[in-house]
Amino acid sequence: MESRLGRAADFCVLLAFFVFVAGWGGLVFVVSGQVVRGWAVSIVLLAVSLVLVIIRAAKRRRSGPGTTKQGRSGLGTWALRLMVLVAGAGGLLGALGDLGFDATYQVLEPQGPGGCRAAVRETSFLMSGGGEVFAVSAVGIGWRMSDWTADDGYRPIAAGSYTLQWRSDSGILVIGGSATDPVWPAIHEVSCQLR
């Protein structure tokens, strides 16, 4: 039982590290039409791993002093500790980035060919705004396609100032601004086909 708890804790750490790396690499995950924030998943997985480690330690203490520790090699321990540190710090930085820049995520309508979707992340801080466009495949994994900058913290997607049209193989997202709040660039391609 202890070894299963240890393996489950290690798996949670590995998964948290993967989610962190994927998120910082420009991947997003969409579940039931909602963008799942990678930093939140990473932090939850690390918390689950911590709970499993605590349960495992409690079981060892109850077993008595005669039980032997089944430890892993020094390299394995240090690799896991490094993954915990990187995923934990990255998760906290991601949370600060989303919360500090008041980030919002939205999956846009309509859906494109083959279940392809467009998702966006909008941010604003002081007098500037911006956003990122993601192409999301039918299985819910998306990758960053492009980004934009807006003046005065303008959020064109939240304001409904955009059009999304699909062709047979890709879509075109046109983001509108105004004379006082321009958006550049305004045109973004969305394609779920890997090139």
Side-chain angles (χ1 to χ4, degrees):
M1 179 69 161
E2 277 186 37
S3 63
R4 278 188 280 166
L5 287 173
R7 284 194 299 269
D10 292 350
F11 180 73
C12 287
V13 168
L14 290 171
L15 201 52
F17 183 76
F18 169 76
V19 168
F20 158 74
V21 170
W24 282 89
L27 289 181
V28 294
F29 306 98
V30 174
V31 178
S32 298
Q34 299 294 315
V35 175
V36 178
R37 298 176 187 213
W39 59 263
V41 173
S42 189
I43 289 173
V44 167
L45 286 168
L46 289 176
V48 168
S49 177
L50 178 63
V51 168
L52 291 172
V53 166
I54 290 170
I55 291 171
R56 183 176 164 200
K59 285 186 180 291
R60 275 192 183 151
R61 264 188 262 120
R62 273 187 295 210
S63 297
T67 59
T68 58
K69 261 187 168 179
Q70 290 181 336
R72 64 177 64 88
S73 71
L75 181 61
T77 300
W78 281 105
L80 276 172
R81 287 180 182 167
L82 182 61
M83 284 185 220
V84 167
L85 179 66
V86 169
L92 290 175
L93 286 174
L96 289 174
D98 269 3
L99 300 174
F101 292 103
D102 194 22
T104 57
Y105 294 81
Q106 187 174 344
V107 179
L108 305 180
E109 295 293 339
Q111 182 172 306
C116 187
R117 306 291 300 265
V120 295
R121 175 183 186 260
E122 284 188 293
T123 59
S124 66
F125 184 73
L126 298 176
M127 298 301 287
S128 68
E132 299 168 281
V133 180
F134 300 89
V136 182
S137 69
V139 295
I141 298 173
W143 48 91
R144 185 176 17 246
M145 297 292 297
S146 59
D147 55 27
W148 76 84
T149 304
D151 203 14
D152 292 335
Y154 180 58
R155 294 175 180 254
I157 303 298
S161 183
Y162 70 92
T163 59
L164 175 61
Q165 295 182 339
W166 293 96
R167 300 180 299 224
S168 62
D169 62 343
S170 64
I172 299 293
L173 175 64
V174 179
I175 302 172
S178 68
T180 57
D181 297 320
V183 174
W184 61 93
I187 300 173
H188 303 270
E189 182 181 16
V190 180
S191 175
C192 289
Q193 297 179 3
L194 296 176
R195 297 175 185 181

